[in-house]
Each structure stands twice: as structure tokens, then as C-alpha cells.
Amino acid sequence: MLSITRRSSCYWLQIVFIIHILGAIWYVVYRPTLVLPWQHRHQRGHIGDDGDGLFAALDDSRSWTTGPPHNPNQLTVQLPPASNRTPRVNAGFVVLVRNTELGEMLESMYEERFNRKFDYPWLFLNEEPFTEEFKRRTTAATNAKTHFGFVDESMWSYPTWINQTLAAEQREKMRGLPYGASESYRHMCRFQSGFFWRHPLFLELGWEYYWRVEPHVRYYCELDYDPFLYMKQNNKKYGFTISFVENGGTIPTLWEAIRRFVTATEIYGQNQFALKTKDTLYRFITDENGEQYNQCHFWTNFEIARTDLWQSDTYQKLFEFLDRSGGFFYERWGDAPVHSIFAALFLHKDEFHYFHDIGYKHSVYEHCPESDTLADKCFCNPANTLDYKDPMSCLTRYMDALAENSVDKDTTVGQLLRLPGVAA
Ligand code: GDP
Ligand code: MN
């Protein structure tokens, strides 16, 4: 009797031991990729939700909060667990770059602190053939696949309706403005507005999301989750890090052209801009009455977005309209205001994502995350950040626009921007 009890307690010990071992194996294998239902819900990262504090408390080390000091609606985002074993999204990096920018390109590739873990492919585009050296060095800089595409004249030349003499005169007049006299800069902006997303190689790759990169930028932070997957799982369509004010002298008639397009679509009853104003980010770019563009835009030199945003019928028609009006050449319309204005008027405000955790530098301006949990992963000084301090930064306006819900509830964007007195 005694021996039976002893033997059975021994069995119990063995069973408990095995359960422990299995538990440990489970933890090691699955735990880092496990997304619990409440984490999913919180990843939406919206402003002004009373539940935010409660959910954020679950994992403080993986959440961030930011917002202008005066705004009680701070933005809190819960990041997904650190893991590179999540499924890959059909996505990659896209870069327009010149052969002469090879060194600056290599410095800008986010390999060490991000892509070594995720292996997203790179697509390099150029209106001149890439040199063998450029291809070799960029390919050596990554473990992922590299692709090299040529931008031909169909995407990098004057359309037939442009008067090139007038364009040259206009460039001279704009000499005092940033890139005012540059011809190639205008082709570049037009390409980034209307063509990269339908370049034959880009279409062949069939990416659902893309991440735009430029030479001579810098990525400061260790990124331990997949931002493409974050965007996809949270139904985000446009992601940015820096928002800034444009030099208005380069786009004097852009806003009017946008309004003419909106008005035309309104008149023909196409409802292309049917969202209620309060559901969009229109306050990021314009005043209460939609009368003037305030020059705020997202910096497109960093852009993580859904490809089909630009492939949408509405954007394609808008680009065609803007292109026909000649402003890419007679003025110096940038792809940043064009992308930003469209996204702010067309998308729901929940479809934007501010990548506060991605420290980033372009030219002399930078965004460096301020909270301790993020700063510890970044090689930059938060004192240098533009965010809410620099008068050129539009982040305060973005946050306020996100929280704004007091505007007339029934007005659609199309109705707001329709030009008075314009008939069919
Ligand atoms: P900024 O950011 O507005 O100052 O303009 P950049 O000079 O950085 O140009 C924006 C992007 O377009 C960068 O990726 C450049 O490498 C690229 N780019 C600009 N001009 C040309 C050009 O003439 N040819 C090519 N292939 N790329 C260009
Ligand atoms: Mn640049």
C-alpha cells in the first residue's frame, strides 16, 4: 500500500515536470508572436478614447503617447509585440535615385536597425540606367532582393500640351525659390505624384504597401516589429513621420486647381469626395471654410502607404487633371502637397498613422521620439526634434485635426470645397 502511494506521487511529480517543460517550450516558441485580442483592439491608436489608459497599462514598454501640450486628447498607440516571425506583407522599399547618390543611398538604407530582421525587397528607379557599381553596392548592402527599374520618357518628359518656352520662362521667374529654376526637380515631382505607382516593374512586383526612401536620409531607431503588417492589421493607408509647411511660392494655384477638380466631380454627381468633413483630416490642410491651403503637408521622402491609394480612380483622375493644368511645369508643384491634400480629403482620419516611433532625419530637420521607452532605442537627441516646437512643423495641426469633431456634421468634403458660382 505504501509503495503504491509512493509510486503514484512519483508519477504526479513527473507529470507536473512535463507540463512545466511543455509550458516553457510554448512560451519560447509562440509567446513573442502572440497577439491577444485586447492588444489588437488597442493598436488602432485613436484619440480621445477613455479606454486608452486602461489598455495602455497592459504593456507600457510597448506603447507611446504624444500630443501638443494644449490638447487634452493625446494620441496613444500600443505597438505589436517585438517579432520578425509574423507573416510578411506583400510590400517593399521604393527609391528614386541617381547614380551619383550611391554613397548617400547606402547611408539611408534601413538595414541594420530594421530590415536585416525582415528582408523586405528594394526597388530602385532612375531615368538613367543604373551603373553596375550602383547595383552591386546596393545589393551587397541588404540580404533582401533588389530590383532596378528604368524610368522612360513616358514618365519623365514634357507632355504634349506643355509650352516648353513658357515653362523655361517661368523657371527663371522662380529662381529665388527652393529648386525654383530646376527642370529635373519638376520631372521628379511629377513622377512621384503620378507615375511611380504604375511603373511597369512596380506593377509587376504587385506590392500592396510600399515604403518610400530617399538618399541622404537617416533612420535612428531600432524597429522590432513590422510596420507594413501594423498598417495592414489596423486598416491604415497612409503613414508618415514628419509634417511640414510648404513654401507657398511654388504652388500658387494648386489649391484652386484641386477645388476646380472637386467642383467638376460634384457637378457631375460622381461623389468622389463623399466623406463627411469631420471624418477626414481636412483641418490639417485648410481652414473651416476650405478657402485656402495652409501649406501643411506630410513629408513624402518618408512614406509608408497602400499602393491602391494612388491607383484609385479618383486619384488617377485628379492627377490627370492637375497634369493637364500645367502646374508641375509652370509652377513647381511638389508631390508632397499633392499626396497630402488628396489623402486628407479622401481618406478617413482613422486611416492615417503617425510613425512617432520612427526617428528620422531629412536634410537638417529631424524627428526624434521623446518618451523614454522609445528614446532608449534611438540614436538621436530628442532636443533636436521638430515635433511641436518648430513653427514650420505641422504636427500640432495634425493632432488637432485628428481630434476635431465639432464641425458641421453633414457637410461632405465635396460640398465644402465646391467653388461658388461654377456651373456645369
Ligand atoms: P528634396 O528632398 O525635395 O530636397 O529633393 P531631393 O533632391 O532629395 O529629391 C527627391 C528624391 O528624388 C530623391 O530620392 C532624389 O534622389 C530623387 N531625384 C531628384 N532629382 C532626380 C533626378 O533628376 N533623377 C533621379 N533619378 N532622381 C532624382
Ligand atoms: Mn530629399
Side-chain angles (χ1 to χ4, degrees):
M1 180 68 194
L2 193 73
S3 77
I4 289 173
T5 319
R6 235 192 240 139
R7 200 176 296 153
S8 70
S9 78
C10 195
Y11 281 142
W12 277 115
L13 269 176
Q14 283 177 9
I15 288 167
V16 168
F17 183 70
I18 288 166
I19 288 172
H20 266 85
I21 295 289
L22 289 177
I25 291 171
W26 175 84
Y27 184 84
V28 169
V29 174
Y30 292 107
R31 168 63 220 203
T33 56
L34 198 69
V35 179
L36 301 167
W38 60 80
Q39 287 173 317
H40 251 310
R41 181 210 163 278
H42 185 74
Q43 276 167 34
R44 293 193 69 81
H46 35 255
I47 250 177
D49 184 328
D50 288 335
D52 276 2
L54 178 68
F55 288 100
L58 285 171
D59 188 354
D60 274 347
S61 68
R62 297 204 62 81
S63 75
W64 51 258
T65 296
T66 187
H70 68 260
N71 192 332
N73 298 304
Q74 300 281 297
L75 175 67
T76 296
V77 167
Q78 174 74 51
L79 298 173
S83 175
N84 64 351
R85 279 182 282 156
T86 43
R88 294 293 176 271
V89 177
N90 190 5
F93 297 101
V94 59
V95 195
L96 177 74
V97 57
R98 288 169 281 221
N99 285 306
T100 51
E101 294 170 308
L102 172 60
E104 294 87 349
M105 188 65 245
L106 295 169
E107 281 173 30
S108 305
M109 290 171 73
Y110 200 178
E111 289 293 317
E112 296 309 324
R113 294 179 190 135
F114 168 66
N115 203 40
R116 287 268 165 204
K117 294 166 283 192
F118 291 90
D119 288 335
Y120 276 106
W122 288 85
L123 170 60
F124 298 95
L125 299 172
N126 189 354
E127 91 289 6
E128 286 179 359
F130 280 113
T131 61
E132 285 309 311
E133 188 195 7
F134 189 97
K135 293 196 249 186
R136 182 171 45 79
R137 297 285 308 278
T138 47
T139 303
T142 176
N143 290 330
K145 250 184 127 61
T146 49
H147 306 270
F148 300 89
F150 178 66
V151 176
D152 69 19
E153 286 198 348
S154 68
M155 302 185 167
W156 195 287
S157 62
Y158 289 99
T160 50
W161 58 86
I162 294 294
N163 175 341
Q164 292 189 40
T165 317
L166 177 59
E169 286 166 11
Q170 290 297 107
R171 287 201 297 278
E172 271 316 302
K173 283 191 199 151
M174 295 176 74
R175 195 164 272 287
L177 297 168
Y179 302 105
S182 171
E183 188 176 23
S184 66
Y185 195 85
R186 286 174 168 78
H187 287 295
M188 182 275 285
C189 291
R190 180 169 173 263
F191 176 78
Q192 299 285 27
S193 302
F195 296 101
F196 82 89
W197 42 266
R198 50 178 153 165
H199 184 280
L201 194 47
F202 190 89
L203 292 178
E204 200 181 308
L205 291 166
W207 292 341
E208 189 181 0
Y209 288 84
Y210 69 90
W211 182 333
R212 177 170 151 191
V213 177
E214 271 195 18
H216 37 95
V217 301
R218 188 151 333 148
Y219 284 96
Y220 288 126
C221 307
E222 191 69 42
L223 194 62
D224 58 16
Y225 67 92
D226 182 342
F228 293 120
L229 189 63
Y230 180 88
M231 299 268 298
K232 194 174 157 95
Q233 288 185 331
N234 293 283
N235 195 28
K236 302 291 184 186
K237 298 195 172 150
Y238 193 91
F240 69 98
T241 56
I242 291 183
S243 55
F244 216 60
V245 201
E246 178 79 2
N247 184 319
T250 59
I251 48 166
T253 67
L254 175 60
W255 186 244
E256 194 206 314
I258 298 270
R259 290 192 69 183
R260 273 192 286 124
F261 175 77
V262 173
T263 304
T265 61
E266 279 290 296
I267 287 171
Y268 294 109
Q270 293 165 340
N271 281 330
Q272 306 272 346
F273 295 91
L275 283 186
K276 305 260 168 71
T277 50
K278 70 174 167 59
D279 292 330
T280 70
L281 270 189
Y282 91 103
R283 290 294 276 124
F284 174 64
I285 56 165
T286 185
D287 51 43
E288 192 74 25
N289 303 315
E291 264 154 28
Q292 289 198 353
Y293 177 43
N294 63 18
Q295 323 294 344
C296 277
H297 59 278
F298 304 112
W299 260 7
T300 47
N301 45 66
F302 169 101
E303 188 172 74
I304 303 183
R306 255 184 86 116
T307 306
D308 64 6
L309 179 57
W310 316 120
Q311 291 165 347
S312 64
D313 192 44
T314 309
Y315 184 74
Q316 295 207 28
K317 284 194 177 124
L318 172 65
F319 174 74
E320 179 81 3
F321 184 91
L322 296 179
D323 200 25
R324 293 227 159 238
S325 79
F328 288 106
F329 294 106
Y330 303 138
E331 296 181 5
R332 207 228 64 201
W333 292 354
D335 54 290
V338 171
H339 281 199
S340 305
I341 290 173
F342 176 73
L345 300 178
F346 189 70
L347 292 179
H348 193 283
K349 56 167 87 166
D350 285 351
E351 294 175 316
F352 287 85
H353 183 66
Y354 169 43
F355 278 101
H356 178 65
D357 50 334
I358 298 189
Y360 177 74
K361 180 174 190 170
H362 176 277
S363 68
V364 295
Y365 297 108
E366 71 182 57
H367 160 68
C368 181
E370 281 174 290
S371 77
D372 291 345
T373 49
L374 293 175
D376 289 350
K377 293 182 185 162
C378 304
F379 299 82
C380 55
N381 183 353
N384 297 336
T385 202
L386 284 174
D387 296 3
Y388 306 109
K389 289 179 293 213
D390 193 298
M392 300 284 274
S393 166
C394 288
L395 193 60
T396 298
R397 188 170 272 275
Y398 172 80
M399 294 294 172
D400 290 346
L402 213 52
E404 163 93 61
N405 59 13
S406 61
V407 240
D408 180 356
K409 290 182 176 45
D410 293 324
T411 310
T412 66
V413 169
Q415 288 163 346
L416 181 81
L417 294 191
R418 182 171 174 167
L419 289 162
V422 179

